[in-house]
Amino acid sequence: MNSQKKWILIVGLALIATTGFAVNWLKKNQKLGEPGIIVTPIPGSTVVKIALPEKVLNFTSTNVPESDVVLGYLPKDTSFGQRRYDSPDGFSATANVILMGTDRTSIHKADYCLAGSGWDTVKKETVKIHINGPKPYDLPVAKWTVSNVIQQPDGKKIEVHGLYVFWFVADSEMTVDNNQRILWLYRDLLKTGVLQRWAYISYQTMCLPGQEDAAFERLKNLIAASVPEFQLPPKAGEISSVAEQ
């Protein structure tokens, strides 16, 4: 082995050792940050209660427990909150919150969730929804148009469309970009030793092809009315922490 190859090997081993040391040090010294949503601790548990509002506008709602598949797949310290909202005229939507604990793998790309549920993404957009309350602000959200083929009881298959609206929020930070979320997570961890506790919030509704705009208006109203009930507003002077795709 010539000297150049020896130096490359030495440098490579040094980088591996340094990376391993850094990872172990961060695991031992990191502190879990505060979530950007309202939660209630559960005594003796590593998870917390996420209470999505029961009453929103003229909607009735039903609590929806997470499936065994999701519970078995995600880390044990992952917290969940999920409700289905139904209006008197038949419009319905599901709100879902996934909150990470000390294991950052609780949250992943939205593409994986949709593909796993049989939905294809037709169009991706980023829009803003105005949130009222004591501290009004514009919430950036990812607005994805999705499609699926559903088999009816008589065996006939029909194409349905839907809207999947989501974003990520931590203490004083919001983004619709999962890569940005990961970048901020490591930035804060390295600078402060605090592991930001990110939440992945999504709303989904179904509609017939061509009715996407009308469905989004209904969904937007539901989001604007329900978000102030469980998500903390950005702190004064920190609105600029919001990032868009």
Side-chain angles (χ1 to χ4, degrees):
M1 181 181 293
N2 59 40
S3 59
Q4 183 180 9
K5 290 183 177 179
K6 286 182 179 179
W7 276 110
I8 292 174
L9 178 60
I10 292 171
V11 172
L13 292 174
L15 287 173
I16 292 173
T18 302
T19 301
F21 175 80
V23 170
N24 288 330
W25 185 89
L26 287 172
K27 285 183 177 180
K28 292 179 181 179
N29 294 276
Q30 71 184 19
K31 298 177 182 178
L32 188 59
E34 295 296 324
I37 58 175
I38 299 171
V39 300
T40 303
I42 300 175
S45 176
T46 58
V47 302
V48 295
K49 181 179 180 181
I50 302 171
L52 292 169
E54 295 184 23
K55 298 288 187 178
V56 181
L57 303 176
N58 65 337
F59 288 89
T60 58
S61 70
T62 305
N63 184 59
V64 180
E66 286 292 343
S67 67
D68 291 337
V69 173
V70 173
L71 292 175
Y73 176 74
L74 295 179
K76 299 301 181 183
D77 63 352
T78 307
S79 301
F80 303 94
Q82 187 170 207
R83 294 195 78 85
R84 175 186 166 117
Y85 293 92
D86 296 283
S87 69
D89 62 1
F91 177 82
S92 66
T94 300
N96 188 51
V97 179
I98 299 175
L99 176 67
M100 62 174 273
T102 56
D103 192 327
R104 64 207 73 173
T105 63
S106 295
I107 300 176
H108 45 274
K109 288 186 175 182
D111 306 73
Y112 300 155
C113 301
L114 292 169
S117 302
W119 291 92
D120 295 320
T121 304
V122 177
K123 185 179 181 180
K124 296 182 179 181
E125 304 172 79
T126 297
V127 300
K128 291 182 178 180
I129 297 177
H130 186 71
I131 306 298
N132 287 314
K135 299 179 180 179
Y137 64 98
D138 290 327
L139 172 68
V141 301
K143 172 193 171 189
W144 289 9
T145 302
V146 295
S147 68
N148 200 349
V149 175
I150 295 178
Q151 183 170 322
Q152 296 180 307
D154 61 2
K156 182 179 179 181
K157 295 182 178 180
I158 61 169
E159 180 182 0
V160 295
H161 280 195
L163 291 163
Y164 188 71
V165 176
F166 69 91
W167 64 95
F168 306 99
V169 61
D171 183 25
S172 305
E173 294 179 332
M174 289 181 285
T175 181
V176 300
D177 186 343
N178 190 57
N179 292 329
Q180 178 72 71
R181 177 189 70 82
I182 295 172
L183 178 64
W184 282 346
L185 183 148
Y186 283 108
R187 177 204 65 188
D188 294 335
L189 185 57
L190 291 171
K191 286 177 61 177
T192 67
V194 174
L195 178 66
Q196 287 283 28
R197 195 171 189 179
W198 285 92
Y200 171 20
I201 302 173
S202 63
Y203 286 71
Q204 186 171 12
T205 189
M206 294 171 55
C207 64
L208 293 174
Q211 296 182 357
E212 294 86 358
D213 290 344
F216 178 67
E217 286 302 311
R218 301 291 300 275
L219 191 61
K220 182 171 69 174
N221 290 336
L222 173 62
I223 293 172
S226 58
V227 163
E229 300 296 322
F230 69 89
Q231 179 172 308
L232 300 172
K235 294 179 182 178
E238 294 179 336
I239 302 292
S240 59
S241 295
V242 176
E244 298 176 58
Q245 286 179 319

